Amino acid sequence: MLSRRAKKIGLWTIGLLVPLFVLFFGAMMLALLFAGGAASESGSCGSGNASNVDVTTSADMNKRAKSIYGYLRSELHATPQGAAGAMGVWQFESSFNPKIGNTAGSGATGLAQWMGNRLTGANGLKAFASRKGEKWDSLQTQLDFTKYELNHGYQGAKAALRKSGVHKAAYDWLMDYEGMRNNPEQWYLEKGPSGQPGRYPDGDHWYAKFGANDTGADNSGDVSDPDDSGGSGNTGGCGSDASAAGGDWGWPYKGGKFVTSGFGPRDLAGSPWHDGVDFDAGHGAKIRAVHGGKVIFVGDPMKKGITDSYPYGLGKDVIVTKADDGYEVIYQEFAMSGPTHKVAVNDTVKTGQVIATQQTGHLHLGVTNKKSWVTAQSDWQNPSGHSWLDPLKFIEKKAS
């Protein structure tokens, strides 16, 4: 039997080890939490109130965030919304940690998770830092490198920083600077793979923290962009204007009607009945929303099991909106080789807002309010039992 002294020593040892184990386990869980935040990306339609969004932050992250916001505003002439949108993307990428590397083996590293030639090439981050005599993994160097890239090969991404909507800025920054246009499975605009906040709520958080009351900093980049947003504020995401959820109808292009094939019976072999209306304003023309609503689908229709071939399918990019009045509007057959959309799921669009670019011979526009757009696709050659409506009856009544 153990002596009383031995028992006391044993109990004392257990009493010491238990709290140590709890502390160690807690530290490990915290590390995993931050690692998950740095590796995820998503965005939900946030209210701009940080207290309503579960965004993981830390003292270091907040300190870096303040420096990044100030740099984007003063050095890159970003609007408050543009700066916050880009920060939403970067927080999801790296938690603003310039030293962080991707653990999945891609080699992506740093604030924007640069990789390949952008990291190690002759004009990459490391070579840029070497020429300046600076450490490549410092926050200042990586911000300066961002500025360098925006003037050398990524000039198109500057427009994202001029946006008047946080979500639109985040989306465009993700597409044009991060180069994720062809990787929709990695966008995580609304929510990350583990359910954590995505890029949009991250951006909303930083706008609420830094941008909402920012009326003084550098406003030289605060230019209007009616061709993209149709208004001001967060119109690229969750606009509060009631007219965004429905409202009037309008033509899909500026400067004319551009109708090439009407709704209903037509003299066309193999397709004697048309379930929508075709428009053609030419390759590169900006496609505009004909009716306000919430984006419920965007991207390749194969995600819904619908052929994306062209011209015998819906094309490589489809946009579907649904308004409070029940109308679903389907924009299809405008993309032949890849996506050209400028909106994301859960965005609220207004009539006249640019939503995509035409890259084929026409845009097909469909309207239904009796079935979901997916179910209605099976009615495309069914003149007696279809659920499609003539878009021109709505557009010409309101937009003539």
Side-chain angles (χ1 to χ4, degrees):
M1 293 180 64
L2 293 172
S3 66
R4 182 175 299 178
R5 176 181 174 83
K7 288 181 179 180
K8 286 184 177 180
I9 292 174
L11 290 173
W12 180 86
T13 302
I14 293 172
L16 178 64
L17 290 176
V18 167
L20 286 175
F21 175 79
V22 171
L23 287 172
F24 175 79
F25 182 78
M28 291 296 293
M29 292 301 293
L30 187 61
L32 287 172
L33 177 63
F34 280 112
S40 71
E41 18 183 0
S42 136
S44 69
C45 212
S47 64
N49 186 341
S51 64
N52 292 332
V53 182
D54 182 20
V55 178
T56 301
T57 60
S58 67
D60 285 343
M61 182 189 291
N62 279 305
K63 185 177 180 179
R64 293 185 190 120
K66 186 175 181 180
S67 297
I68 293 169
Y69 182 82
Y71 190 97
L72 292 173
R73 290 284 280 132
S74 63
E75 294 293 324
L76 301 183
H77 310 300
T79 62
Q81 297 92 337
M87 290 174 68
V89 173
W90 279 350
Q91 180 185 347
F92 194 84
E93 292 287 330
S94 62
S95 294
F96 304 143
N97 185 347
K99 300 180 185 295
I100 198 167
N102 186 290
T103 58
S106 69
T109 301
L111 183 65
Q113 290 291 278
W114 291 281
M115 58 187 293
N117 286 334
R118 292 180 73 182
L119 178 64
T120 60
N123 293 312
L125 170 61
K126 292 186 177 182
F128 172 83
S130 178
R131 290 193 296 269
K132 289 172 59 70
E134 303 288 349
K135 293 182 178 180
W136 68 267
D137 59 355
S138 77
L139 181 61
Q140 182 66 51
T141 299
Q142 293 185 8
L143 289 172
D144 288 342
F145 180 65
T146 299
K147 184 177 181 179
Y148 170 82
E149 284 200 310
L150 290 177
N151 291 310
H152 298 85
Y154 288 84
Q155 292 90 331
K158 289 182 180 179
L161 298 178
R162 310 294 196 269
K163 297 301 178 185
S164 56
V166 174
H167 293 187
K168 186 67 173 120
Y171 179 84
D172 285 359
W173 188 255
L174 182 64
M175 299 300 116
D176 298 331
Y177 186 73
E178 298 289 335
M180 298 292 287
R181 191 172 299 278
N182 294 322
N183 303 94
E185 74 282 356
Q186 298 180 43
W187 290 356
Y188 300 118
L189 299 173
E190 301 297 329
K191 188 179 295 184
S194 302
Q196 72 272 42
R199 302 180 195 270
Y200 284 172
D202 284 348
D204 289 337
H205 171 81
W206 298 116
Y207 181 72
K209 187 172 183 65
F210 298 126
N213 297 314
D214 178 2
T215 58
D218 187 343
N219 290 318
S220 61
D222 193 359
V223 296
S224 62
D225 189 11
D227 195 47
D228 252 339
S229 66
S232 60
N234 200 19
T235 56
C238 306
S240 59
D241 189 335
S243 66
D248 288 341
W249 294 75
W251 296 100
Y253 298 99
K254 267 188 176 181
K257 299 180 180 180
F258 302 104
V259 177
T260 59
S261 181
F263 181 86
R266 60 181 179 177
D267 185 15
L268 182 63
S271 183
W273 188 81
H274 199 202
D275 59 354
V277 174
D278 289 346
F279 302 82
D280 180 18
H283 192 281
K286 302 295 184 183
I287 299 171
R288 299 171 182 274
V290 300
H291 192 48
K294 184 176 181 180
V295 178
I296 60 172
F297 180 86
V298 65
D300 195 318
M302 286 295 290
K303 292 188 288 187
K304 295 290 186 180
I306 303 171
T307 179
D308 63 357
S309 63
Y310 181 87
Y312 303 109
L314 305 193
K316 300 297 184 182
D317 203 9
V318 171
I319 299 171
V320 184
T321 63
K322 185 170 185 177
D324 288 346
D325 55 20
Y327 291 107
E328 292 188 11
V329 182
I330 300 87
Y331 306 80
Q332 64 191 54
E333 298 172 33
F334 60 85
M336 178 169 56
S337 58
T340 72
H341 58 261
K342 298 180 179 296
V343 293
V345 171
N346 286 333
D347 280 0
T348 298
V349 300
K350 293 182 179 181
T351 303
Q353 177 180 333
V354 173
I355 59 173
T357 302
Q358 180 183 332
Q359 65 172 204
T360 64
H362 72 276
L363 159 72
H364 176 97
L365 186 71
V367 176
T368 183
N369 67 347
K370 296 179 181 179
K371 297 180 180 180
S372 73
W373 73 277
V374 175
T375 304
Q377 290 296 324
S378 62
D379 296 336
W380 75 280
Q381 285 289 281
N382 184 7
S384 60
H386 70 88
S387 61
W388 294 104
L389 304 170
D390 184 354
L392 293 182
K393 288 186 177 180
F394 300 97
I395 295 174
E396 290 179 333
K397 181 179 180 180
K398 293 291 185 180
S400 58

